[in-house]
Amino acid sequence: MPGASHPALDELRPAPTTAGAARLTALLASLRDELVEIRRDIHAHPELARTEERTSRVVADRLRLAGLEPRLLPGSGVLCDIGPVGTRRIGLRADIDALPLNDTCGLPWSSTNRGIAHACGHDVHTTVVLGAGLALAELAAAGELATGVRLIFQPAEEVQPGGSLDVIAQGGLDGVARIFGVHCDPKVDVGQVGTRIGPITSASDEVQVTVTGPGGHTSRPHLTGDVVFALGQVITQVPAILGRRLDPRSGVNLTWGAVQAGVAHNAIPSTGTVKGTLRCLDVRAWQKASEVFHSAVEQVLAPLEVEVEIVHHRGVPPVENDERSTGLLEAAARDVLGAESVLLTEQSLGGEDFAWYLTKVPGAMARLGTRTPGGTTYDIHQGDLQVDERAIEAGALLLARTAVLAGA
């Protein structure tokens, strides 16, 4: 069973072929058991967005033990610089928050906080960046790290507005030239990583349309503004209009998730609401979609003599991996995980607030395989998520080696 012991990564990949990769491999092998225990501790004590105080302390305490000087951010989150002080640093980012779900993984280290679970793998992300940082600190102490590195342990990825904006506002990217991160992918085997140049996730917004009218009897719809009929037009027509007014190659998707209106079969209600998500694969379409969405709703409802209120909560842009940074991730993966470790990953309609960092500096995110080869395929944002804990060592090797190559 994944996580039942502290298995070695060695059996899944060939021996490193360069001295630098071999050095990191040895360092992280020595940290293997400790990192697994830290991950299990974090998993057992999950914290929701902007309440991750214990997680921040666990991370900061271990960094201090390594002789580093982490900085606790207001509320929660940690920044820590490693290595030479210069004009630029390489950023490594982890998100540290959990989800409001029950943990049903059934393992000894399952959540002790009822209704909260690390069901997206952020406990793995946190431990991966911590492990990479500890290995890089050893290189820095030996004078073997050419360019400084900044570890970013970011709160509140699972909510909007996300914690990446807080980190940026608090100077977390000051002096950072490139930034890298990983995200668990339980559809990919441990020891493999998925990469992609360009958008790897989607823009994701929340939208809400509220329609009001005087109400009336269903026998006399011509004497009132028919709220239910109006909502029906919004639900069916607006997604179709977006598909005609925005480039279809941008992958615009408007999907409704909730609708409320009325309680009686023979009464036209005075108000009703529909809520959904607006997602775009392309950042340029995302920038235009809000204007088109508002216009489409208003035009569809114009003949129906109802009033409308539109709420559009901007979420996150797509994560757009730049070519150079993606190449560095792939080169690092081949160095430390083997020549066959890199897969081309698909673009997801999910959102990730790592995207905000990439609006400021170039960088890339890779999908980190967490499935035991031949084992069960789990899904993220589900309480039964389990990961093959060899992914911790694999991810730490990947990010540490990427930081070295990016700073060379």
Side-chain angles (χ1 to χ4, degrees), residues 317-398:
V319 172
E320 287 207 80
N321 289 346
D322 87 284
E323 184 173 0
R324 170 67 174 154
S325 299
T326 304
L328 289 165
L329 273 172
E330 292 176 351
R334 293 187 177 104
D335 275 355
V336 295
L337 300 177
E340 305 301 320
S341 63
V342 179
L343 307 174
L344 175 64
T345 191
E346 63 187 7
Q347 185 177 3
S348 164
L349 275 172
E352 228 294 349
D353 82 347
F354 184 78
W356 288 118
Y357 298 119
L358 302 187
T359 67
K360 304 296 183 182
V361 298
M365 170 171 279
R367 295 205 169 103
L368 178 69
T370 63
R371 180 177 62 191
T372 299
T376 303
T377 299
Y378 294 92
D379 198 3
I380 57 174
H381 287 226
Q382 299 297 310
D384 66 345
L385 175 68
Q386 294 187 33
V387 303
D388 188 316
E389 290 177 309
R390 289 174 291 186
I392 298 168
E393 188 177 350
L397 277 167
L398 172 68

Side-chain angles (χ1 to χ4, degrees), residues 58-320:
V58 167
V59 168
D61 287 348
R62 183 59 184 91
L63 293 170
R64 291 191 190 97
L65 189 62
L68 300 170
E69 298 180 359
R71 174 164 70 95
L72 289 168
L73 297 176
S76 56
V78 181
L79 300 178
C80 186
D81 287 344
I82 299 170
V85 177
T87 58
R88 68 186 185 106
R89 289 187 174 274
I90 305 302
L92 302 179
R93 174 268 201 173
D95 38 12
I96 65 175
D97 57 326
L99 284 161
L101 295 173
N102 286 318
D103 191 335
T104 60
C105 74
L107 295 170
W109 50 90
S110 62
S111 174
T112 59
N113 296 334
R114 184 181 297 274
I116 307 176
H118 270 296
C120 196
H122 294 189
D123 53 334
V124 175
H125 305 168
T126 301
T127 316
V128 161
V129 171
L130 177 61
L134 295 175
L136 291 168
E138 292 285 346
L139 296 188
E144 300 170 11
L145 189 63
T147 300
V149 173
R150 175 165 300 152
L151 310 180
I152 300 172
F153 297 90
Q154 174 213 305
E157 191 278 328
E158 295 289 359
V159 298
Q160 297 300 332
S164 61
L165 296 173
D166 300 339
V167 170
I168 292 169
Q170 291 157 7
L173 284 187
D174 292 354
V176 171
R178 288 186 188 273
I179 188 167
F180 298 92
V182 296
H183 197 293
C184 288
D185 190 338
K187 302 185 300 298
V188 175
D189 285 350
V190 66
Q192 296 183 315
V193 295
T195 62
R196 184 183 188 89
I197 297 170
I200 193 171
T201 66
S202 168
S204 179
D205 297 349
E206 297 177 13
V207 295
Q208 175 177 307
V209 178
T210 300
V211 177
T212 58
H217 198 286
T218 55
S219 66
R220 296 181 289 275
H222 60 295
L223 299 182
T224 187
D226 189 338
V227 164
V228 174
F229 181 81
L231 286 175
Q233 303 312 299
V234 171
I235 290 169
T236 57
Q237 292 192 47
V238 173
I241 292 171
L242 290 176
R244 291 298 177 269
R245 292 184 56 189
L246 293 167
D247 189 333
R249 294 172 297 180
S250 65
V252 175
N253 180 274
L254 174 60
T255 299
W256 304 110
V259 58
Q260 294 95 24
V263 293
H265 72 279
N266 59 353
I268 297 173
S270 60
T271 186
T273 299
V274 61
K275 303 175 184 178
T277 57
L278 177 60
R279 301 177 186 270
C280 304
L281 299 179
D282 178 75
V283 69
R284 287 151 291 278
W286 179 66
Q287 292 165 345
K288 187 179 179 182
S290 179
E291 175 188 345
V292 175
F293 172 73
H294 279 73
S295 172
V297 172
E298 291 167 352
Q299 290 172 14
V300 163
L301 295 179
L304 301 181
E305 297 184 348
V306 293
E307 296 182 2
V308 60
E309 178 186 4
I310 302 170
V311 178
H312 185 176
H313 291 296
R314 301 288 274 177
V316 293
V319 172
E320 287 207 80

